[in-house]
Amino acid sequence: MYTYRGIHSSWISWFLSSKGNEYFCEVEEDYILDRFNLTGLNTEVSNYSQALDLITDQLADDDIQDELRGALDVQARLLYGLIHARWIVTARGLAKMLEKYKRSDFGRCPRVLCQSQPLLPVGLTDVPYEKSVKLYCGRCEDLYSPKSSRHGSIDGAYFGTTFPHLLFLVYPNLIPPKSGPVDMTQVSSGTTTGSDGKRRKRDEAQEPTPEVIGEINTASVALKAERYKPKIFGFQVHEIAKLHRWQEAVRDRQVARLEELDI
């Protein structure tokens, strides 16, 4: 057995208790041991077999060469992260992450009007080593960087692009209201309510008044504004996609008006 973990009984418990790994949940061992769930990961991870044996506590100290210890630990973290991304979109994985969401383990939205809405981790890509993890707010539907540098260095691929949106699809009662204080106590009862005790409908956006600021071309600035588009397994969420098309049509009309003012 790998002994550097000290008091921890398994590699997974040691990993989850390490500072900076608070966003992760425990992947059940039977899921890891089912090789079907790990299809394709052998091409993503170097020393795949040894890394898997390390995660499942099947690797003894004598089986590891001294020069490979550091590299193997890195590969084990990578493998667990990629398995974790697959696990949290299963029914059991979603249930575990739901408990962390209820406790606000991922933090709360910094936007004042979101009334401290709990956040959910999400990746901007499913490919490792490309983008760090971000935090998604279901209320303003925007992304934020973690406050902690430890959390900010976590690879976004360990949570994937699908997780928060699938969670809201499976648990529609979690979809937060667009106004009023957040009441997480209503989640277990099957409804999420605003301050008036009723579920509020999505506020309709109003067209802003055209404005020219100094010599800045406001139309070009508007066109460069990047929007986050929620996706589940690469496909845009239907209702949100429909709303985005309407919002983009409104923006296009506003950009045309701004271009006339900039001329």
Side-chain angles (χ1 to χ4, degrees):
M1 174 96 40
Y2 213 40
T3 58
Y4 76 95
R5 292 186 298 269
I7 63 174
H8 298 286
S9 59
S10 68
W11 185 93
I12 293 178
S13 66
W14 165 81
F15 175 81
L16 295 176
S17 65
S18 300
K19 288 185 177 180
N21 292 336
E22 292 81 6
Y23 286 0
F24 293 89
C25 72
E26 182 179 0
V27 181
E28 295 178 4
E29 188 174 0
D30 62 342
Y31 182 86
I32 298 176
L33 294 177
D34 186 342
R35 296 303 175 95
F36 176 79
N37 298 324
L38 312 185
T39 302
L41 294 184
N42 60 318
T43 61
E44 300 279 345
V45 181
S46 302
N47 303 112
Y48 169 79
S49 297
Q50 286 184 305
L52 182 59
D53 287 343
L54 178 56
I55 289 174
T56 55
D57 302 301
Q58 302 298 318
L59 193 65
D61 276 331
D62 295 339
D63 297 332
I64 307 173
Q65 299 177 9
D66 291 338
E67 60 272 17
L68 290 179
R69 286 179 185 272
L72 185 58
D73 187 59
V74 171
Q75 294 304 313
R77 290 168 181 264
L78 170 62
L79 179 58
Y80 185 82
L82 296 177
I83 295 173
H84 183 268
R86 297 183 178 189
W87 162 251
I88 60 176
V89 294
T90 66
R92 289 181 293 170
L94 284 170
K96 286 197 173 186
M97 293 295 276
L98 173 59
E99 293 304 315
K100 296 176 72 66
Y101 174 67
K102 289 180 179 179
R103 297 193 302 265
S104 301
D105 286 357
F106 310 113
R108 296 178 180 272
C109 184
R111 182 175 177 269
V112 174
L113 295 180
C114 282
Q115 304 274 347
S116 298
Q117 169 67 34
L119 301 170
L120 288 166
V122 65
L124 295 178
T125 175
D126 294 306
V127 180
Y129 301 127
E130 288 193 356
K131 297 284 185 179
S132 60
V133 69
K134 301 298 178 185
L135 298 172
Y136 174 74
C137 174
R139 190 157 180 162
C140 63
E141 299 176 0
D142 210 346
L143 298 183
Y144 300 90
S145 296
K147 290 183 178 179
S148 168
S149 58
R150 290 180 182 271
H151 296 151
S153 62
I154 298 174
D155 200 311
Y158 298 166
F159 296 88
T161 57
T162 293
F163 162 65
H165 318 302
L166 185 61
L167 184 75
F168 286 138
L169 186 65
V170 174
Y171 300 100
N173 56 290
L174 294 181
I175 300 174
K178 296 305 175 186
S179 60
V182 177
D183 186 1
M184 291 300 289
T185 62
Q186 298 294 327
V187 171
S188 58
S189 64
T191 58
T192 304
T193 61
S195 58
D196 59 355
K198 296 180 181 180
R199 184 172 184 89
R200 298 178 181 271
K201 296 181 180 180
R202 186 183 301 275
D203 296 330
E204 293 186 358
Q206 297 180 352
E207 292 189 25
T209 303
E211 186 174 343
V212 178
I213 305 175
E215 297 299 324
I216 299 176
N217 188 321
T218 50
S220 62
V221 172
L223 286 172
K224 290 179 181 178
E226 189 175 0
R227 298 195 62 200
Y228 175 67
K229 296 182 178 181
K231 294 183 179 181
I232 296 179
F233 301 118
F235 298 96
Q236 283 188 252
V237 184
H238 173 65
E239 289 299 325
I240 297 177
K242 184 168 65 175
L243 175 65
H244 279 186
R245 286 194 295 271
W246 175 79
Q247 290 175 336
E248 287 170 0
V250 172
R251 186 183 73 167
D252 290 343
R253 290 198 298 270
Q254 182 63 17
V255 167
R257 296 169 65 186
L258 291 172
E259 287 176 338
E260 292 177 0
L261 291 174
D262 289 332
I263 295 176

